[in-house]
Amino acid sequence: FDINVYPNPNNGSFQVKFFNNFSESFVITLTDVTGKVVYQKDLSARQFTDVTYDVNVPTLSNGLYTLSVKADNYTATKKINILK
């Protein structure tokens, strides 16, 4: 299970591409450097096409965030850099 995030760095708008799609549902969580959840979305695979999901969080401040995607018993994480 793996994900790709682009563009990165970004301005608070980015796409998450899922690889090895084997799940009916995903949970996307974005946390700041203190571990506070700043965005979370439960997804059904039917909500997006070609296993790509758009994230839009324009109100977040510049900084480094951790994106986690959970599916079944697997978790993939990436660092996200928001620069405006």
Side-chain angles (χ1 to χ4, degrees):
F1 179 64
D2 195 17
I3 58 172
N4 191 12
V5 177
Y6 51 91
N8 192 21
N10 61 69
N11 64 0
S13 182
F14 57 91
Q15 291 187 325
V16 180
K17 177 141 180 124
F18 302 86
F19 298 96
N20 301 328
N21 179 17
F22 52 83
S23 179
E24 287 290 321
S25 63
F26 299 88
V27 177
I28 295 177
T29 305
L30 192 61
T31 55
D32 66 15
V33 293
T34 67
K36 179 183 174 187
V37 173
V38 295
Y39 176 87
Q40 189 166 49
K41 184 75 174 177
D42 293 332
L43 299 175
S44 165
R46 293 176 294 275
Q47 288 182 275
F48 49 91
T49 59
D50 196 27
V51 292
T52 299
Y53 181 73
D54 295 321
V55 177
N56 190 15
V57 285
T59 59
L60 291 182
S61 302
N62 288 352
L64 191 62
Y65 296 84
T66 301
L67 177 80
S68 298
V69 178
K70 294 183 182 181
D72 298 330
N73 293 325
Y74 300 93
T75 302
T77 60
K78 297 284 184 187
K79 296 293 184 188
I80 306 296
N81 194 358
I82 294 180
L83 296 172
K84 298 179 184 175

